[in-house]
Amino acid sequence: MRQHLIFIAAAIVCLSVLPLVAEATGQLALVGLTSRIMIYAIAAASLNFILGYGGMVSFGHAAFFGIGNYVVGILYFHHAEGVPLWGFIPGSNQLLITLPTAVLVAGFAALVIGSLALRTRGVQFIMITLAFAQMLYFFFVSLKTYGGEDGVIVRGANDLFALSLRDKTAMYYVILVVMVLFFAFLWRVVHSSFGTVLSGIRQNERRMTAMGISSYRYKLYGFVLAGMGAGLAGALMAVFMRFASPDTLHWTKSGELLIMVILGGVGTFFGPILGAAAFLILQTYLAAWTEHWQLAMGLILLGIVLGTRGGAKGLFDSIARKLRTEPR
């Protein structure tokens, strides 16, 4: 545990000084790439929570990511137009309003979808979550007021008190703080009695039910928490990119989140961070190398799945164990 804390502290310090290093070396694009990695790490961790700990394979997790994305865009649209949403909900460009609102709306959507989808299991559950995500995708595409297929442009960055988040470095540090707080909260949830029950349901739901535990209720709570986490990531992405797109709700985005979880290691706590980093770095450099980067990505994913236990996190753990056991 002490070694883990030292490693976490060192990682936070490295992330804190990264903008300074990037500016000194002229690699300013590194700040934007790392910001996206941290945002997707939150989204992937929320999916990993229900997949790796709860055993719920959702192929529609992008729905909550996209809802959080659009909440920020819609609130800014009505703030810029000066016209309240539905005549009574005022718009806003304040991060302390848009971010919690996105989390709550995404959580409510997860409650509605989860209450229906969790009455099934297996392939039926996968297909229902996919169907809901696609319905929401086409719903937002049909909203011509908010740009339809083109999405909503957030021309003015959100503000945090007197700080304008148009500055990418300032936004970077906001994302870093939010990510640290999110993972600290997720750690508490995973290692709480609730997390233990959820893991027990994943291992043997019938036995947990026989013990008098309502598996449906616990799974629904977990599904809502995961949806809120994805909504938080989607909202951060809209603030960072200053754009809300219907592509964030598409099934391909759910597929990307699943790939990140698999790359990092399903059921590992820090795996989603490694998976998001691996996916976005590979995507960035493979796309610059060839237009058929998806083929190379697929081969790499296949190699990780077949050649490692627990993805990138499992690979690092095995290397660390070998280094500790090597004779000196």
Side-chain angles (χ1 to χ4, degrees), residues 10-171:
I12 293 174
V13 170
C14 291
L15 289 171
S16 299
V17 301
L18 185 140
L20 303 176
V21 175
E23 185 176 358
T25 58
Q27 300 292 327
L28 298 179
L30 189 60
V31 176
L33 177 60
T34 309
S35 298
R36 291 172 57 228
I37 288 172
M38 291 190 292
I39 291 172
Y40 277 111
I42 295 173
S46 67
L47 175 58
N48 182 56
F49 177 63
I50 57 173
L51 175 59
Y53 295 97
M56 292 172 271
V57 185
S58 172
F59 206 66
H61 205 64
F64 314 119
F65 184 85
I67 287 173
N69 199 251
Y70 259 95
V71 166
V72 172
I74 291 173
L75 286 176
Y76 174 79
F77 175 86
H78 287 278
H79 168 76
E81 295 292 324
V83 179
L85 175 64
W86 298 325
F88 66 93
I89 300 177
S92 177
N93 69 334
Q94 298 297 315
L95 188 72
L96 293 180
I97 295 177
T98 58
L99 221 60
T101 303
V103 171
L104 290 175
V105 174
F108 177 75
L111 177 64
V112 174
I113 294 173
S115 63
L116 298 173
L118 287 170
R119 298 183 185 278
T120 63
R121 61 185 65 185
V123 176
Q124 290 83 4
F125 176 79
I126 297 173
M127 297 308 296
I128 287 178
T129 55
L130 173 61
F132 273 113
Q134 286 301 99
M135 283 192 291
L136 286 170
Y137 166 76
F138 286 111
F139 170 74
F140 281 103
V141 166
S142 68
L143 297 178
K144 302 303 180 184
T145 304
Y146 305 117
E149 293 183 359
D150 297 326
V152 182
I153 298 176
V154 183
R155 298 188 183 279
N158 273 210
D159 295 334
L160 180 60
F161 300 114
L163 177 66
S164 174
L165 299 180
R166 180 179 291 273
D167 182 9
K168 294 298 183 183
T169 302
M171 187 61 201

